[in-house]
Each structure stands twice: as structure tokens, then as C-alpha cells.
Amino acid sequence: MKATLAPPSSLISLPRHKVSSLRSPSLLLQSQRPSSALMTTTASRGSVAVTAAATSSVEALREGIAEFYNETSGLWEEIWGDHMHHGFYDPDSSVQLSDSGHREAQIRMIEESLRFAGVTEEEKKIKRVVDVGCGIGGSSRYIASQFGAECIGITLSPVQAKRANDLATAQSLSHKVSFQVADALEQPFEDGIFDLVWSMESGEHMPDKAKFVKELVRVAAPGGRIVIVTWCHRNLSQGEEALQPWEQNLLDRICKTFYLPAWCSTSDHVDLLQSLSLQDIKCADWSENVAPFWPAVIRTALTWKGLVSLLRSGMKSIKGALTMPLMIEGYKKGVIKFGIITCQKPL
Ligand code: SAH
């Protein structure tokens, strides 16, 4: 496919506090923040210019994400398989589900997300799909099998792209799906070519949410659907400018390990989509449906096989495992929300 540069991001009009929560360099990974003197932004005629220092922090974040997934994907696949995302459970389901129960819950997450977005199996209109932040390609291979669609996945991790392509070949799907290293914020695709733009748990890594969303919209075909399933912080109440310090502190600790910039809320995503005049914008909070997931991941990490694999995998995996209880705490205290946001690009 011809490579075209993404259009420059222009800031869309949002309330002032939302602009700063979506665009300021405070979005950058805490441990990679340069000195505060360099981290100033300048607002001019509604646009926020990010300094050179912030740009290099974005670069450092990108590298950190790539290294994190290069190191941890093999371990995840060994224990959990090829879907690197939460499972979807009935709110009252038992947390003692078998391993296959968790895998089914992960497939169900894909199915529920498609259903929520109005994409059904009978629908044959889904011919081309981009899987933005594809991991090792679990979603792409599933969607290609279900819809016969052609899927292209992008990831920052060369290890993931290679493994995703190898799995596609092993499953005789390489004529339908392919994977490459590319940045979601500057996708190497022409405008308007994908019937389905799919981002399963990658949005939380994006340092510039407005640019991310604009890029998803740019590559979507007219009438195409966009699905964003992502970690969010709670919606701010009316008049509230920011999270409470203890809430921010909790998220910052998670950011350091999982290579995340600052978070935003589900309603921030909705505002972004509204500002781009998208249609049929819908969102939901699925936090209750994912509640059994992290306790299950922790249980598998504490098995003999899990511990040995963790130690073999390296420090990033070990730090990741130690951070998992913070995810549970965040959900329990209502700071972290598991959000789905979908919409359709006008014809
Ligand atoms: N969607 C996959 C993987 C989720 S893990 C699944 O559900 O199995 C998060 C993924 O987002 C990783 O593959 C990571 O490389 C990717 N990612 C994070 N930031 C990215 C960026 N800027 N551009 C492309 N991929 C990105």
C-alpha cells in the first residue's frame, strides 16, 4: 500500500481543561518527563505547540513500548495465548473459570465489541480492516476468519509483528492478514480505505489522543466503523478540573510499568469524536464485565509455570506482574474504567 504522511494534527475545540488533559506533555510517561522547565506548552489561536523536549519524550515512550512488548509478548502468549487484552465476563460469573473459560472471555470481548459497534457476522461489507496496535494479531486473525476480511495490523514491536505474521502463516491466513511495524499516530496508509478501524487496548499508549483519533478517522472509509476499546480514567464531574492527587498517583505508578502516557476519560473520547462530526457515536463502561480478568492473570502468574516463565522473561515482565494489583485497586476504587467507544464515518 502506498505510504502517505498523516495530515498535521490541528487541535479541535474542546473545553480548556480537556485540551490540557488530552494534549499537554503531562500526558507523557512520568519517568520519561524531561525537566519541567522544558515542558512548557504554548497555546496560540487554539493550538498547542509541543516543545522539542516533549517530542523527544514521545520518541522515548515509543521506544519503551516497543521494548516492553518485545520482551513480554512471548511470556503472555505462552500463558494466555494470542489475545493480549481483557476478557468479557458476565458481571456475576465465577472468577474460578478454567483457562479455556478465559480464552472464551477474550474472544467474547471481540464479539461484544463488534456487536456494540453494529458489525455483525451477516454483514459482508467489512472487507478491509486495520488493527491498530495489533499485538500478535489475535483480533485480526479472528476477524479475517469470521468475515473473510483482509486485515492489516500495526504495532511498534518488531517481535510482535514477526510473531503475528508467523502465526498467520501457520494458520493458513497469510493471504488475508499481514502485520508490520508502524506508528498509529502516523499510519502508512492512504486516506479512507478501511471499512473497520479496530483499536483493542492500544489507545491507552497514545501520547496524543486527539492525533490518534484523527488518524483513525483519516484511514476509515466513508461509512466505515471505528472501534476503540481502551483503558480510561473515570469521567470528571461537572466543574472538576482534574483527578484527585491520590488517583493521579495510582495511575502514574501504572504508567511507569506499562509505558503509558497520561490517561483520559471515555467522555473525552466522545468529545473528540463529536468534534470531528462522526456519526452514531456510542460508548459504554464495561468495567464490571472485565473485573475477573486481573485476578485471573495474577493467579496464573503465581503458578509454578507462571513464576518460572516470569523469571525467564525479564525485569519488564516482573515489574508488570507486580503492578497488576494496582489495576485491580484502580477498578475497585472507580478510578480506572474499561471503556468502549464506537462511531461511523459519514458517507
Ligand atoms: N490489540 C492487541 C494488543 C494490545 S497490547 C490485542 O488485543 O491482542 C497494545 C498494543 O498496542 C501493542 O501491540 C503495542 O505495540 C501497540 N501500540 C502501542 N502504541 C502504539 C503506537 N503508537 N503505534 C502502533 N502500535 C502501538
Side-chain angles (χ1 to χ4, degrees):
M1 230 172 281
K2 195 178 101 206
T4 35
L5 282 179
S9 79
S10 62
L11 198 65
I12 37 196
S13 80
L14 287 170
R16 192 75 191 90
H17 73 276
K18 286 189 174 158
V19 169
S20 64
S21 86
L22 291 167
R23 290 289 304 242
S24 86
S26 69
L27 290 183
L28 301 171
L29 182 66
Q30 187 110 48
S31 58
Q32 293 163 345
R33 281 180 192 161
S35 76
S36 57
L38 293 172
M39 294 303 290
T40 51
T41 57
T42 45
S44 65
R45 285 195 291 142
S47 74
V48 178
V50 180
T51 63
T55 308
S56 72
S57 285
V58 169
E59 187 52 47
L61 173 63
R62 230 187 337 242
E63 280 169 21
I65 293 169
E67 284 163 13
F68 177 75
Y69 286 106
N70 283 345
E71 180 182 308
T72 59
S73 297
L75 167 67
W76 185 270
E77 186 187 356
E78 192 181 328
I79 310 270
W80 274 77
D82 60 345
H83 297 288
M84 306 181 72
H85 58 81
H86 287 68
F88 186 102
Y89 307 81
D90 290 325
D92 54 353
S93 70
S94 156
V95 292
Q96 298 301 330
L97 289 170
S98 64
D99 288 349
S100 69
H102 291 298
R103 184 172 169 80
E104 279 158 27
Q106 288 178 309
I107 303 272
R108 184 167 169 203
M109 174 60 76
I110 299 175
E111 289 170 345
E112 297 283 349
S113 302
L114 289 169
R115 190 169 308 130
F116 187 83
V119 181
T120 57
E121 265 173 47
E122 301 79 58
E123 183 163 2
K124 296 294 174 212
K125 276 188 270 173
I126 303 297
K127 295 212 181 324
R128 298 184 96 185
V129 180
V130 61
D131 185 355
V132 180
C134 61
I136 56 170
S139 291
S140 288
R141 285 185 300 274
Y142 179 83
I143 292 171
S145 312
Q146 292 297 306
F147 294 92
E150 271 178 41
C151 299
I152 298 184
I154 57 172
T155 168
L156 291 179
S157 156
V159 170
Q160 286 189 327
K162 177 172 187 322
R163 181 65 186 146
N165 281 319
D166 288 349
L167 286 168
T169 304
Q171 295 170 19
S172 308
L173 278 171
S174 54
H175 61 297
K176 285 284 183 197
V177 299
S178 66
F179 303 93
Q180 58 188 267
V181 173
D183 189 348
L185 300 181
E186 286 182 13
Q187 296 181 31
F189 307 123
E190 293 166 24
D191 295 357
I193 54 172
F194 295 107
D195 309 310
L196 177 62
V197 177
W198 177 261
S199 166
M200 174 60 73
E201 295 194 36
S202 64
E204 56 270 22
H205 284 295
M206 306 300 162
D208 183 338
K209 308 295 185 208
K211 192 171 178 191
F212 171 56
V213 167
K214 280 193 82 173
E215 198 56 355
L216 300 182
V217 174
R218 182 185 69 77
V219 298
R225 302 244 173 67
I226 298 170
V227 178
I228 305 169
V229 180
T230 186
W231 305 5
C232 297
H233 68 59
R234 66 173 173 82
N235 290 333
L236 298 181
S237 338
Q238 193 76 34
E240 204 181 13
E241 290 285 314
L243 294 174
Q244 298 297 311
W246 70 266
E247 295 177 310
Q248 193 54 56
N249 186 271
L250 176 72
L251 297 187
D252 286 348
R253 286 158 70 204
I254 295 171
C255 288
K256 276 188 189 138
T257 310
F258 290 145
Y259 293 86
L260 305 173
W263 303 35
C264 67
S265 68
T266 313
S267 62
D268 289 334
H269 284 94
V270 170
D271 290 344
L272 283 170
L273 293 173
Q274 276 171 347
S275 71
L276 295 170
S277 304
L278 290 147
Q279 291 174 342
D280 196 19
I281 300 170
K282 293 195 289 182
C283 69
D285 173 3
W286 284 352
S287 307
E288 278 192 24
N289 299 94
V290 301
F293 180 73
W294 287 105
V297 177
I298 291 174
R299 274 201 310 277
T300 57
L302 292 176
T303 59
W304 182 244
K305 181 183 172 197
L307 285 170
V308 171
S309 304
L310 250 185
L311 290 173
R312 272 210 320 259
S313 178
M315 270 319 286
K316 288 185 175 31
S317 305
I318 294 169
K319 282 191 188 157
L322 294 173
T323 305
M324 291 172 191
L326 295 180
M327 289 297 296
I328 299 177
E329 185 183 341
Y331 279 123
K332 280 202 174 133
K333 293 188 169 164
V335 189
I336 299 180
K337 298 287 177 186
F338 191 86
I340 177 164
I341 308 101
T342 66
C343 65
Q344 188 160 17
K345 185 166 169 177
L347 280 169

